[in-house]
Amino acid sequence: MTLKPLADRVVIKRLEAEETTKGGIILTAAAKEKPDLSVVVAVGPGGLVDGKEVTMILKPGDKVITSKYMGTEVKIDGEQLTIVKQSDVVAIVED
Amino acid sequence: MTLKPLADRVVIKRLEAEETTKGGIILTAAAKEKPDLSVVVAVGPGGLVDGKEVTMILKPGDKVITSKYMGTEVKIDGEQLTIVKQSDVVAIVED
Amino acid sequence: MTLKPLADRVVIKRLEAEETTKGGIILTAAAKEKPDLSVVVAVGPGGLVDGKEVTMILKPGDKVITSKYMGTEVKIDGEQLTIVKQSDVVAIVED
Amino acid sequence: MTLKPLADRVVIKRLEAEETTKGGIILTAAAKEKPDLSVVVAVGPGGLVDGKEVTMILKPGDKVITSKYMGTEVKIDGEQLTIVKQSDVVAIVED
Amino acid sequence: MTLKPLADRVVIKRLEAEETTKGGIILTAAAKEKPDLSVVVAVGPGGLVDGKEVTMILKPGDKVITSKYMGTEVKIDGEQLTIVKQSDVVAIVED
Amino acid sequence: MTLKPLADRVVIKRLEAEETTKGGIILTAAAKEKPDLSVVVAVGPGGLVDGKEVTMILKPGDKVITSKYMGTEVKIDGEQLTIVKQSDVVAIVED
Amino acid sequence: MTLKPLADRVVIKRLEAEETTKGGIILTAAAKEKPDLSVVVAVGPGGLVDGKEVTMILKPGDKVITSKYMGTEVKIDGEQLTIVKQSDVVAIVED
């Protein structure tokens, strides 16, 4: 059972704090925002979104920082996932 | 007696919690949002919506996750239905 | 004495609850919205509305569901009518 | 002394309740809105308004329903007038 | 010492109540708005404003009604002036 | 050490009240706004700003009135400066 | 481990107060804003952002003033970084 995000959306899985500290990353929450290290699980097709062409540049496996935690949460087969717009992703983290 | 949604709207039927847990899906409600597993019942024609071309990609029978429960509810022949915009649907769930 | 709606507006007449239950339709009001079964009485010419081309697809006699009850009410010759924008109509009900 | 409305504005004169009841029209005020029967006194030239072409379809003498009473009021030679945008007019009333 | 308004702005001088009553004009203030009879003192060049072409139609000496008193006030050589956008002017008053 | 403003921004230096009264200018603060006489110190290159072409018409040395005091303040080498958008400047003051 | 900002975003490192005072710069915080001297660490590719072409003009090493402190904070390998949009940068500081 899989999630296929629509339009400019991506499915991400938030990495737990214990996982992130291994890589030396500590996230600081700004007021009313929940920045987060996540891994991309699935990517929508992009295309015309609200009349504007959106090209998807994220791909499954990318580790990303999201600016705000505004997505839709869903648990599939015991795995907690979040669906956000690509524009809510502010940076890719590379090793 | 049937509902024909206009423009970029789709008619969906929310699946009950007991149905969704069979498939292993448990939905977590974020603040002020009601994510939901639903099945698409009818799809509008798309076309120009607020001056922007919208192509409908959903079709009847699709199982979908909606980002927010902002639709118009109506009961027809004893069946509770909801009318939302396609852009309120964030992902399709495939088996 | 008749009402000629301007631009993308339509004149509708709300059907009373007793009428709607005959057809098996029961309307559920969402928070702060008043969904409603109405019949279209008159349709504006469409055209450029706020710089965007609007084509009218509704016609007199259509039974419609409106997403919100945001129109302008007026009583003409004893008949209570409401003027809404076509985009406030979410679906047509067919027998 | 006359008022020449600019752009997409029209000058209207609100008809008094006693006048409107003669014609069989009773106006119902929705929450926070003041629907009104008025007669058009003067019409602006239309043209580009906020970058969008507006064609004036109203003409002096038209009896109109306005969706909201948001205009600018002014008293000229003892006559109370209101200046609104054409898009605040929802319908023309014809005998 | 003179004021040269930029873009789509005009410099106006509010006419005092005693002056306006001579002409038979009495201004009624709507809630939170201060309609006003003023005379145009200087007119900006127009042109592209926020990406939209604006043509100036006002000229010095025009008597105008402004929809809201949202301008910037400044006193130059003892004279109280106000700078507003042309789109805040709703009508020209002609004798 | 100098400030080079980006895009449609200009660096201005607010003139003190004692300086402004010499020229006969007294500034009146409207509600929640701080109109101000300032002198332009540096001007950004203009160009595409939020997808719209902006041409800079201000130049260093211009005395200007700003509609609102919404800029970013910074002190460089003991001099207090403010960075605003050109569109926040409503008029140029000429002697 | 490095951060690659997406679209029109830049990664900046805020310079501490003790560093900034060496250069003679003292920053004054306006209401609800936190102006700041920072150094650019990484720059996104620009391109189409919300349907509008954005060209990146900042480059790593630039000392910048940001209008508001609205970015996403993240600590990588012990270094506190912030991710902002290029349009949140109001000026470059040159020696």
Side-chain angles (χ1 to χ4, degrees), chain D residues 22-79:
Chain D
K22 284 181 215 162
I25 296 177
I26 302 161
L27 298 166
T28 312
K32 286 175 205 139
E33 302 193 12
K34 292 202 286 179
D36 211 349
L37 183 63
S38 306
V39 63
V40 175
V41 173
V43 178
L48 273 187
V49 177
D50 198 27
K52 292 161 194 156
E53 185 67 29
V54 175
T55 303
M56 303 307 282
I57 56 173
L58 294 172
K59 56 186 185 306
D62 282 346
K63 281 186 194 166
V64 296
I65 306 284
T66 54
S67 67
K68 303 179 189 182
Y69 179 58
M70 300 170 63
T72 302
E73 294 191 31
V74 64
K75 202 175 217 172
I76 293 216
D77 300 334
E79 189 171 47

Side-chain angles (χ1 to χ4, degrees), chain F residues 73-94:
Chain F
E73 294 191 32
V74 63
K75 201 174 217 172
I76 293 215
D77 300 333
E79 189 170 48
Q80 183 75 32
L81 300 171
T82 304
I83 305 165
V84 298
K85 286 172 159 278
Q86 178 174 268
S87 57
D88 290 328
V89 175
V90 297
I92 298 177
V93 183
E94 297 193 334

Side-chain angles (χ1 to χ4, degrees), chain A:
Chain A
M1 190 171 248
T2 58
L3 276 182
K4 287 182 59 174
L6 298 190
D8 59 340
R9 291 188 181 85
V10 294
V11 180
I12 59 175
K13 185 179 182 303
R14 303 176 86 186
L15 297 181
E16 298 300 324
E18 45 268 45
E19 296 180 64
T20 61
T21 50
K22 285 181 212 160
I25 296 177
I26 301 160
L27 298 166
T28 312
K32 285 179 205 137
E33 302 195 12
K34 291 203 286 179
D36 210 351
L37 183 62
S38 306
V39 63
V40 175
V41 172
V43 177
L48 272 188
V49 178
D50 197 28
K52 293 161 193 156
E53 186 67 30
V54 174
T55 303
M56 303 308 283
I57 56 174
L58 295 172
K59 55 185 184 307
D62 282 347
K63 281 185 195 166
V64 296
I65 306 282
T66 53
S67 67
K68 302 180 189 181
Y69 178 58
M70 298 171 65
T72 301
E73 294 191 31
V74 64
K75 201 175 217 172
I76 293 215
D77 300 334
E79 190 171 48
Q80 182 75 33
L81 300 172
T82 305
I83 304 165
V84 298
K85 286 173 158 279
Q86 178 173 268
S87 57
D88 290 329
V89 175
V90 297
I92 297 176
V93 182
E94 298 193 332
D95 296 313

Side-chain angles (χ1 to χ4, degrees), chain C residues 1-7 9 11 45 48 50-52 70-78 80 83, chain D residues 23-28 30 33 35 52-53 57-58 65-67 86-87 89-95:
Chain C
M1 191 171 247
T2 59
L3 275 181
K4 287 182 58 175
L6 297 190
R9 291 187 182 87
V11 179
L48 274 187
D50 197 28
K52 292 160 194 156
M70 299 169 65
T72 301
E73 294 190 31
V74 64
K75 201 174 216 172
I76 294 217
D77 299 333
Q80 182 75 32
I83 304 164
Chain D
I25 296 177
I26 302 161
L27 298 166
T28 312
E33 302 193 12
K52 292 161 194 156
E53 185 67 29
I57 56 173
L58 294 172
I65 306 284
T66 54
S67 67
Q86 177 172 269
S87 57
V89 175
V90 297
I92 298 177
V93 182
E94 297 194 334
D95 296 313

Side-chain angles (χ1 to χ4, degrees), chain E residues 1-6 9 48 50-51 70-78 80 83, chain F residues 23-28 35 52 57-58 65-67 87 89-95:
Chain E
M1 190 171 249
T2 59
L3 276 181
K4 286 181 59 174
L6 298 189
R9 290 187 182 85
L48 273 188
D50 198 27
M70 300 170 63
T72 302
E73 294 191 30
V74 64
K75 202 174 217 173
I76 292 215
D77 300 333
Q80 183 75 32
I83 305 165
Chain F
I25 297 177
I26 302 161
L27 298 166
T28 312
K52 292 161 195 156
I57 56 173
L58 295 172
I65 306 283
T66 53
S67 66
S87 57
V89 175
V90 297
I92 298 177
V93 183
E94 297 193 334
D95 296 316

Side-chain angles (χ1 to χ4, degrees), chain B residues 28-88:
Chain B
T28 312
K32 285 179 205 138
E33 302 194 12
K34 291 202 286 179
D36 210 351
L37 183 63
S38 306
V39 63
V40 175
V41 172
V43 178
L48 273 187
V49 178
D50 197 28
K52 293 162 193 156
E53 185 67 30
V54 175
T55 303
M56 303 308 282
I57 56 174
L58 294 172
K59 55 186 184 306
D62 283 346
K63 281 186 195 166
V64 296
I65 306 284
T66 53
S67 67
K68 302 180 189 180
Y69 180 57
M70 298 170 65
T72 301
E73 294 191 31
V74 64
K75 201 175 216 171
I76 292 216
D77 300 332
E79 191 171 46
Q80 182 75 32
L81 300 171
T82 305
I83 304 164
V84 299
K85 286 173 158 279
Q86 178 173 269
S87 56
D88 289 329

